Amino acid sequence: GAVVSQHPSWVICKSGTSVKIECRSLDFQATTMFWYRQFPKQSLMLMATSNEGSKATYEQGVEKDKFLINHASLTLSTLTVTSAHPEDSSFYICSATSGTSGRANEQYFGPGTRLTVT
Amino acid sequence: AQKVTQAQTEISVVEKEDVTLDCVYETRDTTYYLFWYKQPPSGELVFLIRRNSFDEQNEISGRYSWNFQKSTSSFNFTITASQVVDSAVYFCVLRDTGFQKLVFGTGTRLLVSP
């Protein structure tokens, strides 16, 4: 149990276009989802926290107009990179957590999405 | 502020050697959680262990063992008899009990050669 999927696993897009990444909790309801970014040979940095049905909370330095996050249901959150540029090329990882007993506070990670902007 | 320091950027060992990955953390919270994750070349994070701040017992799981010392704010990870498949980046992670935010260390890249 506790599986989180991401789609696509990798994507290549042209500079100036937008790309959407999906994060799904497959066997539990995720009240909170987190989005991380990881540049090559670096650590994971939290970008934003999203709660179902409310606006995402962005970390300092993350442009909310560029990285649009929608957590419309308890099993799906999306990250849209708008007007992507080569410097947005990175590995994007989501994690999800539920508030249900026994799994409270556990975060389950998706497999990541590798974005390359040409 | 919370912070996790993994001073070893990269470690190279030969198969069957033992290796210890260091982790030092900073937090003002009295209750917190510590984790270790493995990230192989595929990129997917693999959960290894979780420890809460009230449980200082060391733990052993197969070839893996963890030494949690609250007095020195350290949570070190030892791999015994390393194998090539252990080659990966290992992250030490700190989490508070409130906002559930994870603070990742910078990671230690372990290279195990045959």
Side-chain angles (χ1 to χ4, degrees):
Chain A
V3 177
V4 176
S5 70
Q6 281 185 243
H7 178 80
S9 55
W10 60 270
V11 57
I12 301 173
C13 71
K14 291 189 176 180
S15 188
T17 62
S18 296
V19 61
K20 181 185 287 187
I21 302 170
E22 293 185 349
C23 176
R24 292 182 185 271
S25 55
L26 299 185
D27 55 355
F28 67 100
Q29 294 186 325
T31 53
T32 305
M33 287 185 168
F34 303 84
W35 286 96
Y36 297 85
R37 179 167 53 182
Q38 184 181 28
F39 291 110
K41 297 195 175 183
Q42 293 189 25
S43 188
L44 279 74
M45 296 299 294
L46 179 65
M47 297 176 67
T49 303
S50 74
N51 293 293
E52 186 265 338
S54 61
K55 289 185 178 180
T57 302
Y58 291 81
E59 294 299 300
Q60 195 170 13
V62 178
E63 300 174 59
K64 60 182 179 182
D65 294 331
K66 181 170 184 62
F67 298 99
L68 302 179
I69 293 172
N70 183 18
H71 191 164
S73 77
L74 285 172
T75 59
L76 173 65
S77 176
T78 60
L79 167 67
T80 301
V81 183
T82 62
S83 187
H85 288 95
E87 56 265 30
D88 298 323
S89 298
S90 188
F91 191 53
Y92 292 87
I93 304 172
C94 74
S95 71
T97 186
S98 74
T100 57
S101 175
R103 287 182 174 175
N105 297 325
E106 291 293 346
Q107 282 192 34
Y108 303 96
F109 284 89
T113 296
R114 195 164 301 280
L115 170 63
T116 302
V117 184
T118 61
Chain B
Q2 297 185 322
K3 185 179 177 181
V4 178
T5 301
Q6 294 180 255
Q8 304 148 308
T9 305
E10 186 169 309
I11 301 175
S12 293
V13 299
V14 177
E15 213 170 14
K16 296 184 183 178
E17 283 186 24
D18 299 346
V19 58
T20 295
L21 283 61
D22 298 331
C23 172
V24 175
Y25 63 92
E26 296 176 29
T27 180
R28 293 179 184 173
D29 295 337
T30 54
T31 303
Y32 51 89
Y33 293 91
L34 293 163
F35 303 79
W36 276 94
Y37 284 90
K38 173 183 180 180
Q39 187 178 42
S42 65
E44 185 162 0
L45 288 171
V46 178
F47 167 81
L48 297 178
I49 189 172
R50 178 183 73 164
R51 174 68 74 230
N52 74 53
S53 52
F54 295 110
D55 183 1
E56 289 194 67
Q57 281 191 340
N58 291 330
E59 182 158 337
I60 298 175
S61 177
R63 296 184 297 108
Y64 297 166
S65 62
W66 291 269
N67 183 359
F68 176 30
Q69 293 199 347
K70 219 169 170 179
S71 60
T72 56
S73 297
S74 66
F75 186 41
N76 297 336
F77 172 34
T78 298
I79 301 175
T80 304
S82 59
Q83 300 176 1
V84 173
V85 293
D86 295 328
S87 296
V89 179
Y90 291 85
F91 291 102
C92 181
V93 183
L94 171 67
R95 193 192 83 200
D96 63 24
T97 56
F99 297 103
Q100 302 182 44
K101 289 185 179 181
L102 299 183
V103 176
F104 281 76
T106 49
T108 297
R109 183 176 302 273
L110 175 64
L111 300 172
V112 183
S113 54

